[in-house]
């Protein structure tokens, strides 16, 4: 049976990195550890003999769907023609000293258009999408003798999953797990095999609170036998698992997009994970060049690249190894010039050498991680790594192996504005930071759709809670996202420097700031190399922000939700004034909900738009459906300005509470804010989003509610805005002609 032990100091901890030893009989593996994934049983670009000779990694993930034709029962891996029995290692050339982990799907999986059923799941086989019955899957596991087996799970590949569907996911996964393990126990071992059967119980990529009963059952004494660990599909979930599962080994079976995300996964308590970015880098012709032990860069210097683009002609005569300090086969035997020549000649040897090198770099990263955990310096080194290195790998400049078509830069889209270029986003649409709304679920959905999602810093109760939310968001999207930090007057102000440090130390490169006296935090963010978007409601404030060194201004017109300022200037005037007087690029905020609005903002000189209320009314927004429907049912006249008497004017959704607050504000003879303070409490407003009672407290909404008529997903909304804006800009182009004389003659 699989055994897992952590150091005594960390044995009861699950929310921090931990060092341990994973044992399979006489085989032992130090954790945290790298697991290599395979394609049809082979590590990409490497033959089994090269793996045996040059790769130190011990754990390999194989997917059943890679070997299935029409159905699993008749596939050669299960039904061998001569009646003999071969294990999965025999079939793929893995040596006995390696550990095979067998799961149903590839990593990352290919989303199937065919739904799962009560008796099985849909997989992407060699002959298309097919149904994989639970019984056939576990029968195959019993024959193939992998040391580790991943339990079948009812995964849904969608950003928006209804509560009813999530319940079905849990029920099916539990049924698959219990019936499958019972079947394995009753299956005879082929050829008197001595291989122990160990099952990893799936942790579904939904809220941990929703599957607590399932997870407690897995951990219980009456839970499924053979379960030896967990298969986690979002590494941030390790932070919230029940304490009864704290000591089990945790495998992350999802796409890890870069070393920063890898470090976050380790920090969450993951023990074994797949670094899928290795293959992405190799395919792109990139040579990984990072180290966990590198010192911090000097202040004012740019961040270092994670990899070197070997397509560059600057290496054509460079006789140095890929990395001078590297001891891998490629660096010890070959030069940069040789590999650059092989790439240009389309010789597959180039990608083989790069793969050997890149795997070695990540193996060294894990060695340093384990050493730093033992020394108690992991968090310090992780923070330094975030500061030293760029978050994303360099863009691919040459064609990858077997590619006969031109390279397409996924970031290059119809919109080419200063905003899209600087932030690396597809569509110049920013989701504004909103209190009690800007959580990871919404921010990641906007970023995945091609815009810029923003987490709201002060929605989290502490800087440490913000760190967890950042890591959660990073596990849900590989695209850029930002964090908002708003500074407002308060009797007991939050720990603004602490929040700022959390943002910086978590490697966030884009920050939205707003509020009073932002100078100190803007200075902190600028010194850390962050790109800063600052919200302003007047041109005077915008000019002050420019002096502080912000990179973009978010010009908030009087139409916007929340704090509107005291000058009542609408966006049509504000944007034109910004275009006339300010050289710093700006985006438009307040009153935007569709592509026509985006096109208009671009025509007025903005580089993009900021939307808050419109994103509140999406499937992924973490607020009650009653509130979303209230927005859909509202008119543009259904907002109310309050607190003007105290020069803190806010635009809120008109309801019983705002009307009562307005009456007190207008009729009070004392003018004391304390008279309305209970009515405008932020905590009451938060409860509105939880209980769905629109009259329970005050909540912000812009006049744009009059333009909102549905509740789409973020992906649907952003795509719609994109197509509408393109069509609107094309139509505008047809309204002008150089051939003035060819127009209709005047009848005057």
């Amino acid at each position: 049976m699989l055994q897992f032990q952590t150091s005594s100091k960390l044995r009861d901890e699950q929310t921090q990195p931990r060092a341990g030893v994973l044992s399979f009989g006489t085989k032992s593996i130090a954790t945290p550890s790298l697991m290599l994934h395979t394609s049809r049983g082979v590590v990409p670009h490497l033959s089994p003999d090269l793996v045996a000779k040059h790769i130190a990694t011990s754990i390999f993930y194989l997917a059943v769907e890679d070997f299935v034709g029409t159905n699993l029962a008749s596939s050669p891996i299960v039904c061998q023609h001569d009646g003999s029995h071969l294990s999965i290692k025999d079939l793929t050339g893995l040596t006995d000293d390696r550990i095979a982990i067998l799961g149903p799907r590839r990593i990352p999986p290919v989303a199937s258009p065919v739904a799962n059923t009560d008796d099985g799941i849909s997989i992407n086989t060699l002959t298309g999408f097919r149904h994989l019955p639970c019984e056939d899957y576990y029968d195959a596991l019993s024959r193939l003798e992998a040391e580790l087996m991943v339990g079948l799970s009812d995964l849904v590949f969608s950003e928006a999953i209804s509560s009813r569907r999530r319940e079905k996911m849990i029920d099916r996964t539990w049924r698959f797990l219990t019936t499958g393990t019972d079947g394995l126990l009753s299956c005879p071992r082929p050829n008197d095999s001595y291989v122990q059967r160990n099952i990893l119980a799936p942790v579904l990529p939904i809220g941990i609170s929703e599957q607590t009963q399932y997870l407690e059952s897995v951990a219980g004494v009456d839970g499924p036998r053979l379960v030896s660990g967990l298969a986690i599909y979002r590494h941030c979930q390790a932070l919230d698992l029940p304490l009864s599962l704290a000591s089990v080994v945790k495998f992350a079976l999802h796409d890890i997009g870069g070393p920063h995300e890898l470090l976050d996964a380790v920090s969450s308590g993951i023990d074994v994970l797949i670094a899928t970015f290795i293959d992405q880098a190799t395919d792109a012709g990139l040579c990984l060049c990072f180290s966990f032990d590198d010192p911090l860069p000097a202040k004012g210097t740019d961040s270092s690249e994670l990899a070197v683009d070997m397509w560059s002609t600057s290496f054509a005569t460079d006789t140095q190894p890929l990395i001078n300090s590297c001891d891998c086969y490629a660096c010890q035997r070959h030069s940069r010039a040789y590999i650059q020549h092989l790439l240009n000649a389309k010789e597959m040897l180039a990608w083989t050498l790069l793969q050997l090198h890149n795997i070695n770099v990540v193996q060294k990263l894990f060695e340093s991680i384990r050493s730093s955990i033992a020394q108690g310096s992991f968090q310090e080194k992780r923070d330094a790594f975030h500061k030293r290195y760029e978050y994303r790998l360099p863009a691919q400049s040459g064609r990858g192996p077997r590619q006969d078509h031109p390279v397409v830069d996924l970031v290059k889209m119809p919109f080419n504005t200063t905003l899209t270029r600087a932030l690396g986003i597809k569509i110049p649409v920013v989701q504004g930071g909103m209190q009690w709304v800007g959580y990871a679920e919404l921010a990641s959905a906007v970023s995945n759709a091609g815009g810029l999602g923003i987490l709201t810093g002060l929605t989290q109760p502490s800087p440490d809670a913000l760190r967890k939310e950042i890591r959660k968001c990073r596990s849900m999207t590989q695209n850029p996202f930002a964090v908002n930090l708003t500074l407002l007057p308060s009797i007991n102000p939050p720990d603004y420097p602490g929040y700022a440090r959390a943002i910086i130390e978590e490697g966030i490169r884009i920050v939205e700031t707003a509020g009073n006296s932002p100078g100190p935090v803007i200075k902190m963010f600028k010194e850390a190399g962050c790109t800063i978007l600052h919200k302003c409601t007047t041109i005077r404030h915008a000019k002050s922000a420019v002096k502080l060194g912000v990179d973009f201004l978010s010009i908030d017109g009087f139409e916007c939700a929340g704090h509107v300022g005291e000058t009542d200037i609408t966006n049509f005037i504000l944007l034109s004034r910004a275009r006339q007087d300010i050289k710093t690029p700006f985006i438009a905020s307040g009153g935007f909900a569709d592509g026509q609005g985006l096109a208009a903002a671009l025509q007025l000189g903005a580089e993009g738009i900021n939307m808050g209320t419109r994103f509140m009314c999406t499937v992924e927004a973490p607020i009650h459906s009653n509130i979303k429907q209230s927005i859909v049912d509202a008119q543009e006249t259904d907002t109310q300005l309050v607190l003007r008497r105290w020069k803190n004017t806010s635009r809120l959704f008109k309801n019983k509470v705002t009307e009562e607050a307005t009456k007190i504000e207008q009729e009070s003879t004392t003018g004391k804010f304390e008279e309305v303070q209970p009515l405008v409490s932020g905590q009451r407003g938060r409860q509105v989003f939880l209980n769905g009672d629109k009259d329970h407290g005050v909540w912000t909404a812009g006049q744009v509610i009059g333009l909102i008529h549905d509740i789409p997903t973020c992906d649907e909304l952003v795509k719609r805005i994109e197509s509408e804006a393109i069509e609107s800009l094309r139509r505008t182009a047809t309204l002008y002609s150089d051939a003035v004389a060819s127009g209709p003659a005047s009848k005057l």
Side-chain angles (χ1 to χ4, degrees), residues 339-365:
I339 293 175
Q340 202 266 352
H341 164 73
L342 292 175
L343 286 172
N344 283 288
K346 290 291 183 179
E347 291 286 350
M348 288 303 299
L349 178 58
W351 286 277
T352 296
L353 293 173
L354 282 173
Q355 185 78 327
L356 288 173
H357 168 79
N358 289 339
I359 291 175
N360 185 70
V361 169
V362 178
Q363 287 174 168
K364 296 293 185 185
L365 174 65

Side-chain angles (χ1 to χ4, degrees), residues 15-32:
T15 58
Q16 61 177 327
R18 57 188 191 174
V21 177
L22 192 60
S23 301
F24 300 83
T26 59
K27 306 171 190 175
S28 296
I29 300 168
T31 63

Side-chain angles (χ1 to χ4, degrees), residues 551-565:
D551 302 280
F552 287 89
L553 297 163
S554 180
I555 304 297
D556 282 22
F558 185 57
E559 307 92 329
C560 72
H563 298 280
V564 298

Side-chain angles (χ1 to χ4, degrees), residues 260 289-299 301-305 325 368 377 380-390 509:
H260 292 280
C289 59
F290 54 79
S291 170
F292 197 53
D293 298 317
D294 282 345
L296 272 173
K299 278 192 175 183
T301 59
D302 294 335
S303 299
S304 301
E305 293 283 3
S325 58
S368 297
S377 60
E380 178 185 347
K381 288 192 172 183
R382 182 185 70 99
D383 294 343
F385 189 95
H386 285 330
K387 292 176 182 178
R388 178 172 181 80
Y389 291 104
E390 293 288 341
R509 300 294 184 184

Side-chain angles (χ1 to χ4, degrees), residues 470-728:
I470 290 171
R471 295 170 193 173
K472 180 179 180 181
C473 191
R474 191 166 280 150
S475 75
M476 299 170 75
T477 181
Q478 295 184 29
N479 295 335
F481 65 92
V483 177
N484 165 279
L485 188 60
T486 300
L487 295 89
L488 295 174
S490 174
I491 297 174
N492 298 304
D495 179 13
Y496 288 121
Y499 279 95
R501 283 193 298 272
I503 292 168
I504 293 168
E505 291 170 1
E506 288 300 318
I508 294 297
R509 300 294 184 184
I510 309 168
V511 182
E512 181 189 59
T513 57
N516 300 328
S517 304
V521 296
I522 287 178
K523 182 180 179 181
M524 290 178 66
F525 291 136
K526 290 300 294 182
E527 289 178 350
C530 298
T531 298
I532 301 174
L533 293 77
H534 185 72
K535 301 180 79 169
C536 309
T537 57
T538 68
I539 298 301
R540 178 171 62 86
H541 291 150
K543 290 181 177 179
S544 298
V546 169
K547 293 178 182 177
L548 294 174
V550 302
D551 302 280
F552 287 89
L553 297 163
S554 180
I555 304 297
D556 282 22
F558 185 57
E559 307 92 329
C560 72
H563 298 280
V564 298
E566 308 302 323
T567 57
D568 300 358
I569 308 297
T570 61
N571 251 328
F572 212 93
I573 302 300
L574 272 179
L575 296 179
S576 295
R577 286 279 286 112
R579 184 185 69 249
Q580 292 173 351
D581 288 6
I582 298 175
K583 294 183 179 180
T584 299
F586 60 90
I587 62 175
S589 179
F592 296 98
D594 53 31
Q596 288 79 9
L598 171 57
L602 295 175
Q603 295 282 18
L604 288 169
E607 300 293 339
I609 59 173
N610 179 301
M611 301 195 310
T613 307
R614 172 66 269 198
F615 278 121
M616 285 175 62
C617 208
T618 57
V619 171
E620 295 88 350
I623 63 176
H624 200 284
S625 58
N626 289 354
I627 303 305
K628 298 178 187 180
Q629 192 59 46
S630 297
I631 294 173
V632 171
D633 296 338
Q635 302 296 319
E636 62 272 18
T637 54
D638 291 330
T639 67
Q640 196 158 5
L641 297 174
V642 301
L643 307 184
R644 171 140 288 184
R645 185 170 183 173
W646 296 279
K647 297 190 182 301
N648 190 24
T649 307
S650 295
R651 185 180 299 282
L652 307 172
F653 188 89
K654 184 188 293 184
N655 60 16
K656 294 177 182 178
V657 181
T658 61
E659 290 179 346
E660 184 180 352
T662 300
K663 183 178 179 181
I664 294 173
E665 182 177 355
Q666 293 173 347
E667 298 178 0
S668 171
T669 57
T670 66
K672 292 183 177 180
F673 176 72
E674 288 77 6
E675 294 182 58
V676 297
Q677 187 174 9
L679 297 174
V680 297
S681 163
Q683 289 301 320
R684 284 185 64 174
R686 181 185 188 185
Q687 290 302 313
V688 170
F689 294 150
L690 298 176
N691 62 30
D693 180 3
K694 67 177 182 179
D695 292 313
H696 183 79
V698 298
W699 49 285
T700 62
Q703 290 179 319
V704 75
I705 55 177
L707 303 179
I708 298 173
H709 309 297
D710 62 353
I711 308 173
T713 66
C714 289
D715 188 63
E716 291 168 343
L717 176 61
V718 172
K719 283 184 169 60
R720 183 200 306 168
I721 290 173
E722 177 187 8
S723 61
E724 289 174 349
I726 292 171
E727 180 60 31
S728 183

